[in-house]
Amino acid sequence: MRKAITGHKAVAEAMRQIEPDVVAVYPITPQSEIAEYYADYVHNGLVRTELIPVESEHSALSACIGAAAAGGRVMTATSSQGLALLVEVLYIAAGLRLPIVMALANRALSAPINIHCDHSDAYLARDSGAVQIFAESAQEAYDYTLMAQRIAEDMRVRLPVIVNLDGFTLTHTVQPVDLLEDEVAKKFVGEFKPFAPLLDVEHPVTWGAFAMSDYYFELKRAQEAGMEAVPAVFLEVQRAFAEVSGRRYEGFFEAYKLADAEYALVVLGSTAGTAKVAVDELRARGMKVGLLKPWLWRPFPGPAVAEALAHLKAVAVLDRAFSFGTMGALYEDVASALYPLEKRPILVNYIYGLGGRDITVPQLVQALEELPKIRRTEWALRYIGLRE
Amino acid sequence: MAGLKGWRELPLGGVVAGGTARDLNKTGSWRAERPIWHEEKCIQCLQCWLHCPDDSVLIRGGKVTGFDYEHCKGCGVCAAICPKDAIEMVPERGGECARP
Amino acid sequence: MPSIKVLAEREERGVRFTGGHTLCAGCAEPMVVRTVLNAIPDPVVVASPTGCLEVATSRFPGTAWNVPWIHVAFENAAAVISGVEAAYKVLRKKGLLDKRVRFVVFAGDGGTYDIGLQALSGALERGHDFLYVCLNNEAYMNTGVQRSSATPKCAAATTAPVGEAIPGKPQERKDLTEIVAAHGIPYVAQAAVSHLIDLANKVERAMNYEGPKFINVLTTCPLGWRTPRDSAIQQAKQAVETRYWPLYEVIEGRYKINYKPKEHVPVEEWLKTQGRFRHLFRDPQGKELIAQIQAEVDRRWELLLKKEQCFGVGG
């Protein structure tokens, strides 16, 4: 069923179809619409979810943790400062191996305060232990919200999953989205299987025990095993999704015209749409260029990225946030993925689009056109769209 | 760290079954004084049981039967609360008492 | 009303909080925890924030909790229990659970008066069905006796030391019980570890109400108060006798003082037995400070009497 809806509505529709037991959410621009849509479903009796209208994002995720440990399927959503406030408990959700799915409407972090898109919020959660997926479009945001639920709940994984969608660019623009029928979506997501639920009062368990130096390290290593399981599960879930939707997502990233390319961009989120136009323009002019757009950012699919980029002459990695004092986070992922290769492309790192700054086709065309002139990989940031 | 489990053997999310501390931690080794129960003075008011921080006053059928010296830390709260002086705190002597 | 025999019978049927925890010898917290848990016959799920109780009862792989228990962080126990309770409501609606389950938070004063106040207020306003028990030992004991907003004026704390310029904590303690009562929840009470049967009765009464219930329990910390390790009960009892810590309830907005000491015992009698107030009996300005503390105790007691008079059970 095709509908013209915003990214927010697409995510909210996926949530309605998943119909989690508990949704705890706190308003923040630009995420608020997800909370509003879901409240509307609850108040109109379309879902049996308990909506907890919490007093902060910290409490939103804390309530989600309680509900998930109790034995419920739970979801939430946030943005920017809200993510910053709840990031403490995001680490805990991951440490407790709780399969909480959270939409993150990407927005710049303060200061200065700003409401528009960049990826500083997602980057803040980079090392939290949450799986992170990036959507390019409202369609991808919808599809990956459904898939995220299965990835999170797989017993090999059991981790929180963040579905990133660019604030305003995706959340507030109307796009055509193919929605699954409710029954198909519900069947795809399946029944929730709780693990050691608190509400199984006959078998009392302790969640959130205190671990000293005798066990902390082993428990964190066991947590990493959940991350290690993600790539295989991710591919399995993509295949299962293709069967019910007909939409084929094959792999950890989209490789756009990359196979025979000499130069390429690597970029997360909605900017990939703009980048595709730039690639097409240059292809029309005879330059062999391509694009790599990760869907899966954490865990980072390093070996697969290295294989996909190995044959290129030069690659520009675009980061929509600073990692102050060092190179961009995505750049560092790509660089360390390529490092084991004997022959690897020249790499360059651009910071772009902070605080909702527009990124245009000509700017990306220019970045690609400059790649052949760059002689070697440098330890220096470049910028797109910044006034000197 | 001999005898500790490797990471592959640990439960998902570090979740553990309830009520295991009693078997794992024998806090009786902390004790510098031990409570002695004088049954003949006891009126079975259960105040010692009610106030014991370590669940170490043993009861059966609603009556005190003695102390759990494996866990009693020797705080003396029971002796202080007892209305009939039926509990006496005496110094622990040597390791054999302190580690039952 | 649960007598001591009833509580004992229940514990004989199933110990809910075991020995083998590593709380200090003479700690009053387990007395409160065991009494509250034994006063609730239904199955219980417990949440605790970070603190002495959490650290000392849940060291992996051991746990003193023989009921389902969860700890997440310091400031969010009320939010965590909100989530547990919400999940329970849905699973019951879906027919996946048939048992009546009760929800309890045990939290210290730091996790309640200070860092957890926002989450507590939110959960109270939303009306979740749970009992919140504050084990108020009047400072951050787990991290080494730092001052909290529950710490009484003039008490020595490691972040409010007795110095040449400032004699202990300069501020009065926050009246959290009244702040909670202002939320208009069905049941609010103050209790003390010296009056455990009173506490058990309060728990039983509280559990008759649907919605949030709150009991603020004065819970002696011999280490932080610098009193002998067998003194927990005597200390709390004296706090009640001096009217420093009145035992009272606010049931559906109606005040009831559970115990009115017949004689006026000066608060000095309580202060002088504790190391944290030793400077008041040594330094020249001590007399004036004790007078100030007494005046505040009297002011709060008079206010409470007036509230009972105006908004009492019979009123």
Side-chain angles (χ1 to χ4, degrees), chain A residues 21 50 52-56 58-59 62-63 66-67 69 88-89 92 198 202 204-210 212 214-215, chain C residues 45 55 58-60 63 66-72 75-76 79-80 83-84 86-88 90 93-94 99 118-119 122 126:
Chain A
D21 296 307
E50 271 293 317
I52 313 182
V54 277
E55 81 297 333
S56 73
H58 196 283
S59 284
S62 298
E88 181 203 18
V89 272
I92 297 170
L198 289 166
E202 307 293 332
V205 285
T206 280
W207 280 83
F210 167 64
M212 285 292 281
D214 56 350
Y215 271 114
Chain C
V45 177
V55 165
S58 72
R59 179 159 173 190
F60 186 88
T63 174
N66 208 17
V67 290
W69 180 85
I70 182 167
H71 157 254
V72 178
E75 65 280 59
N76 61 357
V80 171
V84 176
Y88 166 75
V90 184
K93 248 188 274 173
K94 289 182 173 175
K99 278 203 181 67
Q118 174 181 316
R126 293 190 300 271

Side-chain angles (χ1 to χ4, degrees), chain A residues 211-250:
Chain A
M212 285 292 281
S213 45
D214 56 350
Y215 271 114
Y216 183 87
F217 198 173
E218 282 71 24
L219 285 162
K220 295 318 270 186
R221 175 62 188 91
Q223 181 184 332
E224 174 65 5
M227 271 291 185
E228 287 169 349
V230 169
V233 173
F234 191 83
L235 298 177
E236 281 173 33
V237 171
Q238 281 181 329
R239 281 194 289 275
F241 188 74
E243 276 173 33
V244 299
S245 68
R247 289 190 287 283
R248 289 188 190 285
Y249 294 94
E250 289 171 341

Side-chain angles (χ1 to χ4, degrees), chain A residues 327-351:
Chain A
M327 304 294 281
L330 182 61
Y331 175 87
E332 293 195 338
D333 290 335
V334 173
S336 54
L338 290 171
Y339 187 78
L341 304 184
E342 275 180 30
K343 189 180 164 303
R344 48 184 180 254
I346 289 166
L347 280 189
V348 54
N349 189 193
Y350 286 98
I351 305 293

Side-chain angles (χ1 to χ4, degrees), chain C:
Chain C
M1 295 287 111
S3 66
I4 197 163
K5 292 270 175 207
V6 168
L7 298 176
E9 268 170 38
R10 287 185 189 155
E11 191 166 280
E12 279 193 69
R13 276 204 298 274
V15 176
R16 291 181 155 189
F17 181 85
T18 75
H21 58 74
T22 54
L23 288 158
C24 299
C27 176
E29 290 190 338
M31 309 176 197
V32 175
V33 170
R34 282 175 56 217
T35 300
V36 170
L37 292 178
N38 287 332
I40 304 171
D42 293 324
V44 170
V45 177
V46 175
S48 291
T50 312
C52 290
L53 185 70
E54 168 268 326
V55 165
T57 60
S58 72
R59 179 159 173 190
F60 186 88
T63 174
W65 299 93
N66 208 17
V67 290
W69 180 85
I70 182 167
H71 157 254
V72 178
F74 197 1
E75 65 280 59
N76 61 357
V80 171
I81 208 76
S82 300
V84 176
E85 185 254 12
Y88 166 75
K89 277 204 273 194
V90 184
L91 298 182
R92 257 179 76 107
K93 248 188 274 173
K94 289 182 173 175
L96 297 169
L97 285 173
D98 48 4
K99 278 203 181 67
R100 175 88 197 254
V101 181
R102 303 305 202 116
F103 303 97
V104 179
V105 172
F106 291 111
D109 49 292
T112 306
Y113 280 64
D114 290 348
I115 198 168
L117 182 58
Q118 174 181 316
L120 173 61
S121 178
L124 299 177
E125 182 268 336
R126 293 190 300 271
H128 297 278
D129 189 23
F130 72 113
L131 169 66
Y132 193 106
V133 179
C134 178
L135 307 169
N136 177 10
N137 56 22
E138 302 196 318
Y140 290 88
M141 299 312 184
N142 187 45
T143 44
V145 201
Q146 292 84 14
R147 60 89 81 192
S148 77
S149 61
T151 304
K153 183 181 164 99
C154 291
T158 52
T159 50
V162 177
E164 292 294 322
I166 304 172
K169 187 187 170 192
Q171 301 86 2
E172 286 292 347
R173 65 201 152 116
K174 186 189 279 180
D175 193 345
L176 185 72
T177 309
E178 290 300 300
I179 293 169
V180 170
H183 286 75
I185 62 171
Y187 187 92
V188 179
Q190 270 193 185
V193 69
S194 49
H195 296 69
L196 288 176
I197 297 302
D198 171 72
L199 172 64
N201 288 334
K202 283 173 175 165
V203 171
E204 192 177 82
R205 273 199 292 280
M207 295 322 252
N208 289 329
Y209 293 92
E210 192 85 20
K213 283 83 65 174
F214 178 87
I215 306 180
N216 195 352
V217 188
L218 187 70
T219 307
T220 318
C221 173
L223 180 87
W225 295 14
R226 301 194 221 153
T227 63
R229 68 178 176 200
D230 65 353
S231 68
I233 306 310
Q234 194 48 40
Q235 280 298 335
K237 193 160 182 247
Q238 195 71 328
V240 173
E241 292 295 334
T242 57
R243 304 169 182 172
Y244 168 86
W245 191 260
L247 305 179
Y248 74 100
E249 291 169 295
V250 190
I251 305 177
E252 295 183 311
R254 297 285 171 188
Y255 279 73
K256 183 180 181 193
I257 302 173
N258 307 107
Y259 174 67
K260 290 176 186 164
K262 289 192 184 69
E263 292 169 40
H264 187 286
V265 183
V267 72
E268 187 175 344
E269 295 301 309
W270 181 61
L271 301 177
K272 73 181 182 193
T273 59
Q274 299 173 41
R276 61 178 174 161
F277 296 113
R278 187 175 300 136
H279 58 103
L280 297 179
F281 301 91
R282 183 189 63 202
D283 300 340
Q285 79 270 36
K287 237 183 157 77
E288 166 56 23
L289 292 170
I290 292 169
Q292 287 175 18
I293 295 169
Q294 184 66 59
E296 180 61 14
V297 167
D298 293 344
R299 187 191 70 80
R300 291 191 188 196
W301 177 257
E302 293 301 322
L303 185 62
L304 188 61
L305 286 175
K306 279 190 190 124
K307 282 178 179 169
E308 189 189 44
Q309 212 175 10
C310 298
F311 313 107
V313 178

Side-chain angles (χ1 to χ4, degrees), chain A residues 141-157:
Chain A
Y142 169 80
D143 291 347
Y144 275 108
T145 301
L146 293 174
M147 286 190 268
Q149 207 68 42
R150 278 199 36 179
I151 296 162
E153 291 174 10
D154 190 288
M155 284 310 291
R156 292 164 288 178
V157 175

